[in-house]
Amino acid sequence: MRPSLTKQLLPFVILAANLAVIVALWWQGSSGMLWQNNSSGERLIALGRLVGLIAELALLTQLVLIGRMRFIEKLFGFDRLNRVHRWIGYCFLFFILLHPLFLTLGYSQSTGQPLVQQFLTFINTFEDTSKALIGLIIIVGVATLSYPLIRNRLRYETWHGLHLLMYVAIGLVFGHQINTADVSQGNALYYWLALNFLVFGLLITYRFLRPFYLAWHHKFRIEKIMAETKDVWSVYISGVDMTRFHFNGGQYANIMFLARGLWYPHPFSFSQAYNGTHVRFTMRASGDFTKRIGELKIGTRVILDGPLGVFTAERAVQQKLLLIAGGIGITPLRAMAEAKYNRDIVLLYGNRTTQNVPFRTELELLNIKTYFVFSDDTAPNSERGRIDGVRIQRLVPDWREREVFICGPGLMMQNISNELKQLGMSKKQIHFENFYH
């Protein structure tokens, strides 16, 4: 079932309440007095302090969004959180740059010092300002590297490693916050410490402690590795007390293999339904990480952070489902189809050729209506071309009565989603999630 509107609105209410508290603390503190003096320099100083506080609130919000906190992810799903994360990131960068700019302009007008000299005075005399400057440089650098045109050229491991520098930057700027101006004393300081430590406590618990606890409790290890095709591998992971490691078909986990060069976490979908004995992940060799999967040894320890994601049949209101897969995007849909959930399921599975189709035999044994579509090949009992609105209408006459789950390349998912909407299907009936397989 989809979460209620009340539950989805609650995080926004909490965010708005904290923003209101921050503005109130700013107004009641020394900055409010500066603002009321009607001096342009002092107003710039007050405004600079306010945007600094708002920047920290945006940063804490970012940590919640990327903290893999299941109670948040279940409300919105990875796609929505990722989009919000991106836009709040732009806002955070905007405010964090305005903070030193407004302060430098304001103090320069108040003291009569030239801008450059005033900025150097901050660095040399204000407590923790030099550390905050280093933190700011790191933040701007990481934000720049996260811009899509640059991000897409980086290896996942490089991008992930650079993102970890943000924690260093946060530590560098924290002392600057609590030692100056409006949140440096009294109840304002207690509130600010409580807010920051609450968010960091949740982040540490969900993003770091929970995965290591699961690894310790279940003792995850590689049970076997099987080649599905020439470039697709399935990794079977077993452990102890596996009956308690529950997940739904369509969900994913971040996987870290404790083997040299493979210890960076990567997200992969469960490719089998829950069975209480082992879990399976299937991946195509498409990057430095996945190309080495076949080299892993049986018994290698594994850290699993999951299950994650809301790409599950539980979100569907209709009793009929249409699953549409492209290439390795079959993995979550194969698990969903196996679980069945007492629903009428039709699967459309697109690939380029007949030579590289994972799970073809398994899908035939699942006893669901399946149509294979090949763009560059022909085969008996299959379709030639691509999956589009016309083909969907022909192969699945009752498509309007179904909820659609799509997984594959990003462009494919977007194109099919757009075509279905143009044909009159409600947006609520269409489900897909973007993340790195």
Side-chain angles (χ1 to χ4, degrees):
M1 295 292 292
R2 296 186 179 97
S4 67
L5 180 61
T6 301
K7 288 183 177 180
Q8 290 187 324
L9 286 176
L10 183 59
F12 296 100
V13 172
I14 294 173
L15 178 62
N18 278 284
L19 179 59
V21 171
I22 287 171
V23 173
L25 293 175
W26 169 81
W27 181 256
Q28 293 172 5
S30 58
S31 295
M33 296 176 61
L34 289 173
W35 183 264
Q36 296 174 61
N37 285 339
N38 291 324
S39 163
S40 59
E42 291 180 341
R43 284 198 164 189
L44 280 171
I45 295 170
L47 195 58
R49 292 175 179 177
L50 178 60
V51 296
L53 295 174
I54 294 175
E56 175 65 8
L57 179 62
L59 178 58
L60 294 176
T61 304
Q62 290 288 73
L63 295 180
V64 171
L65 293 175
I66 56 92
R68 300 171 192 162
M69 300 171 193
R70 299 174 72 187
F71 60 93
I72 293 291
E73 192 192 32
K74 284 181 179 179
L75 293 177
F76 303 103
F78 182 85
D79 260 1
R80 288 183 180 179
L81 289 182
N82 195 39
R83 287 196 293 270
V84 175
H85 173 72
R86 186 183 307 117
W87 284 107
I88 291 183
Y90 295 145
C91 295
F92 164 67
L93 188 61
F94 175 71
F95 285 121
I96 201 68
L97 290 174
L98 284 182
H99 174 62
L101 176 61
F102 283 165
L103 289 178
T104 303
L105 289 171
Y107 274 99
S108 177
Q109 289 186 25
S110 297
T111 64
Q113 288 189 350
L115 289 175
V116 174
Q117 186 177 344
Q118 181 60 63
F119 185 76
L120 292 175
T121 299
F122 284 150
I123 303 302
N124 295 324
T125 61
F126 280 57
E127 191 171 5
D128 292 316
T129 304
S130 57
K131 293 179 183 178
L133 177 61
I134 297 172
L136 176 62
I137 293 171
I138 293 174
I139 289 169
V140 173
V142 173
T144 302
L145 293 173
S146 297
Y147 189 72
L149 290 177
I150 301 175
R151 160 71 185 93
N152 293 336
R153 296 176 180 271
L154 297 176
R155 293 172 62 236
Y156 177 86
E157 293 81 4
T158 302
W159 173 81
H160 185 270
L162 289 171
H163 246 63
L164 293 178
L165 290 174
M166 288 293 287
Y167 297 114
V168 176
I170 292 169
L172 289 170
V173 303
F174 187 68
H176 172 67
Q177 298 172 44
I178 61 175
N179 286 321
T180 57
D182 303 300
V183 293
S184 61
Q185 57 186 345
N187 291 331
L189 175 60
Y190 298 141
Y191 162 77
W192 201 244
L193 291 174
L195 180 63
N196 278 266
F197 283 115
L198 173 62
V199 171
F200 275 95
L202 290 171
L203 177 73
I204 292 170
T205 299
Y206 281 92
R207 183 139 195 176
F208 300 103
L209 296 183
R210 184 176 182 274
F212 283 101
Y213 167 76
L214 290 174
W216 170 80
H217 177 77
H218 292 288
K219 297 178 173 56
F220 296 121
R221 293 181 183 271
I222 294 177
E223 178 184 308
K224 63 179 177 179
I225 300 175
M226 292 184 60
E228 302 289 349
T229 69
K230 64 179 181 180
D231 62 349
V232 175
W233 300 88
S234 282
V235 180
Y236 292 76
I237 297 170
S238 60
V240 301
D241 200 18
M242 292 297 288
T243 56
R244 295 182 61 185
F245 188 73
H246 291 275
F247 62 91
N248 293 315
Q251 290 189 294
Y252 70 96
N254 286 287
I255 309 174
M256 184 187 302
F257 297 109
L258 300 187
R260 186 173 182 179
L262 294 173
W263 55 273
Y264 281 98
H266 287 66
F268 294 99
S269 297
F270 296 95
S271 62
Q272 269 188 336
Y274 168 81
N275 55 42
T277 60
H278 66 266
V279 295
R280 184 180 74 175
F281 301 93
T282 304
M283 49 209 76
R284 171 160 282 148
S286 57
D288 294 339
F289 180 88
T290 48
K291 285 179 180 177
R292 295 187 56 195
I293 295 301
E295 303 173 13
L296 287 167
K297 299 183 183 301
I298 305 303
T300 299
R301 295 293 297 267
V302 183
I303 294 176
L304 294 183
D305 180 11
L308 300 165
V310 296
F311 185 70
T312 69
E314 288 189 337
R315 288 249 163 170
V317 176
Q318 307 291 337
Q319 283 300 309
K320 294 182 177 182
L321 305 182
L322 171 57
L323 312 182
I324 303 176
I328 199 61
I330 187 61
T331 51
L333 300 182
R334 186 250 177 262
M336 195 184 299
E338 182 182 10
K340 288 195 174 82
Y341 303 103
N342 296 317
R343 295 176 186 264
D344 177 348
I345 297 176
V346 176
L347 169 66
L348 304 186
Y349 185 14
N351 282 278
R352 288 185 178 179
T353 69
T354 59
Q355 303 302 313
N356 200 20
V357 184
F359 311 137
R360 181 155 192 171
T361 302
E362 291 185 13
L363 291 170
E364 291 170 350
L365 294 174
L366 288 180
N367 195 30
I368 62 171
K369 187 177 292 185
T370 302
Y371 297 96
F372 294 95
V373 182
F374 299 103
S375 60
D376 301 335
D377 212 341
T378 56
N381 302 316
S382 68
E383 297 271 324
R384 174 70 185 269
R386 69 181 185 88
I387 301 174
D388 56 17
V390 173
R391 197 177 301 274
I392 291 171
Q393 293 178 89
R394 176 168 57 82
L395 296 177
V396 192
D398 61 349
W399 60 275
R400 291 182 184 275
E401 303 170 20
R402 298 179 180 270
E403 292 210 29
V404 183
F405 289 80
I406 314 169
C407 190
L411 184 59
M412 169 200 166
M413 292 193 293
Q414 194 61 59
N415 287 341
I416 293 175
S417 175
N418 290 339
E419 287 193 54
L420 289 173
K421 291 174 190 174
Q422 290 171 6
L423 290 170
M425 178 170 276
S426 168
K427 182 180 179 181
K428 293 181 179 180
Q429 291 177 251
I430 304 170
H431 310 268
F432 60 90
E433 275 192 321
N434 275 309
F435 62 89
Y436 292 95
H437 282 272

